[in-house]
Amino acid sequence: MDTLASPSETQKTCLSAKQSSRTIGLVPTMGYLHEGHLALVRRARAENDLVVVSIFVNPTQFGPAEDLERYPRDLVRDLALLTEENVDVVFTPDVSGMYPEQPATFVEVPGVSEVLCGASRPGHFRGVASVVTKLFNIVQPDRSYFGQKDYQQTIVIRKMVRDLNIPVQIIICPTVRESDGLAMSSRNSLLGPHDRVKASQLILALKKGEAALLNGERDPLRVAGAIRGLLAETREIFVDYIEVVDAEDLKKKSGISDKDRVLLALAVRIGGVRLIDNLVVNVSS
Ligand code: AMP
């Protein structure tokens, strides 16, 4: 496995793979890897000749009051895990390598970036779309792998790729969960033991919303109310948002019809840690 910090060296390695007709799969991450990340890596390994995993905690997607400084990191452990998965290249740029000068060029995807997490994290998806574009230009992957855990991110990236004709296939993998249903996240490591127990309510709340939908509830506000009700039973889960929106365009719906695909999405703060989760429900099922 090659560990490369230099964008130009990584680009050279990837270009020479492409020139010998090898397919490239890219898994962008911020490191502190868990089974959710590794599921993406395994899928990439199964589908491509060259697997590139990037590890970069991208400062431009963090707001000034957010957790950039305390975002968990453990490069040694990450590299050991990726060696086990037979990854070919790990791209680990530092901030000055990715941003040698103040960037003036950004990729913005208004609309789908402005709701849900975008509403409470202004500039977040601009940072994500811009750094993913840089990664696509450096690695030139045939396929890139993203988790449903960050559902809105997948919608933003897909829209960006379509709008800009970026020649990459975006592959979305299901959310990997702990045994109690908590979606795996690097940020889970920041939770104290009591808060970790509270965090297991998130999936139960989403399932409550799903059950309401499947039992015939068609008012999105009442579905969101069912989710909110369950979370309210646990003290000190601070809700950022609970949204019931169209799963394709993330738009609010006045009513839900039987053939809709609906996204139930939430963001909360528990013990100062921001957690997100979601479920996609095919109402007809
Ligand atoms: P991150 O390191 O949190 O930026 O995540 C890197 C990639 O892994 C993103 O595409 C995430 O959606 C994905 N990912 C993170 N957690 C999970 C999970 N629990 N299940 C599946 N994919 C995940």
Side-chain angles (χ1 to χ4, degrees):
M1 187 171 80
D2 287 333
T3 304
L4 304 174
S6 148
S8 59
E9 220 182 303
T10 304
Q11 197 171 46
K12 229 163 61 195
T13 302
C14 293
L15 270 176
S16 102
K18 274 190 106 65
Q19 273 155 10
S20 43
S21 300
R22 300 180 74 202
T23 58
I24 302 179
L26 168 67
V27 183
T29 82
M30 298 204 299
Y32 211 76
L33 302 179
H34 51 65
E35 282 294 318
H37 297 114
L38 296 182
L40 308 190
V41 171
R42 285 172 197 142
R43 177 99 189 254
R45 182 68 286 167
E47 296 179 348
N48 300 278
D49 298 320
L50 189 87
V51 174
V52 181
V53 176
S54 62
I55 298 179
F56 181 56
V57 183
N58 173 41
T60 71
Q61 70 192 65
F62 286 78
E66 293 184 357
D67 59 352
L68 172 63
E69 296 308 325
R70 70 174 187 140
Y71 195 86
R73 296 159 212 242
D74 188 344
L75 186 58
V76 173
R77 182 173 163 276
D78 289 349
L79 294 179
L81 289 169
L82 296 176
T83 306
E84 293 262 304
E85 301 297 335
N86 282 318
V87 165
D88 300 291
V89 177
V90 187
F91 176 44
T92 59
D94 54 23
V95 174
S96 61
M98 279 298 261
Y99 303 107
E101 54 190 279
Q102 191 67 30
T105 311
F106 296 93
V107 179
E108 302 213 42
V109 192
V112 290
S113 289
E114 288 161 348
V115 295
L116 308 175
C117 285
S120 34
R121 305 185 70 188
H124 170 67
F125 287 111
R126 170 171 127 140
V128 169
S130 301
V131 81
V132 169
T133 302
K134 283 167 75 72
L135 291 170
F136 285 171
N137 285 332
I138 293 164
V139 175
Q140 305 194 28
D142 296 275
R143 302 180 187 85
S144 188
Y145 297 81
F146 295 85
Q148 191 195 311
K149 155 87 188 341
D150 298 273
Y151 187 89
Q152 187 175 9
Q153 172 170 276
T154 68
I155 296 287
V156 170
I157 300 292
R158 280 201 151 142
K159 176 79 177 135
M160 172 184 96
V161 162
R162 284 200 306 273
D163 284 354
L164 299 181
N165 302 85
I166 303 179
V168 60
Q169 190 185 344
I170 302 301
I171 292 162
I172 315 296
C173 302
T175 302
V176 178
R177 298 178 179 280
E178 302 284 358
S179 56
D180 65 354
L182 175 64
M184 288 191 182
S185 165
S186 308
R187 289 191 172 95
N188 292 350
S189 65
L190 302 171
L191 294 167
H194 294 299
D195 291 332
R196 170 64 186 81
V197 174
K198 288 180 192 174
S200 63
Q201 296 301 302
L202 303 188
I203 185 62
L204 299 180
L206 289 168
K207 287 205 164 138
K208 191 104 187 184
E210 178 183 48
L213 266 174
L214 298 178
N215 287 327
E217 181 57 67
R218 293 292 176 263
D219 177 351
L221 289 177
R222 293 176 74 98
V223 175
I227 298 171
R228 193 175 296 274
L230 194 135
L231 291 181
E233 289 172 17
T234 303
R235 287 179 53 192
E236 297 183 334
I237 295 182
F238 300 104
V239 173
D240 176 358
Y241 67 77
I242 295 168
E243 296 280 0
V244 176
V245 295
D246 186 279
E248 308 305 319
D249 61 13
L250 310 182
K251 289 199 173 131
K252 280 193 204 284
K253 307 175 78 68
S254 51
I256 296 165
S257 81
D258 285 352
K259 49 184 187 342
D260 283 342
R261 256 180 97 237
V262 174
L263 172 72
L264 313 181
L266 56 78
V268 303
R269 249 168 213 291
I270 302 177
V273 181
R274 189 170 188 279
L275 299 175
I276 59 173
D277 200 357
N278 68 78
L279 281 181
V280 175
V281 183
N282 284 307
V283 178
S284 58
S285 63

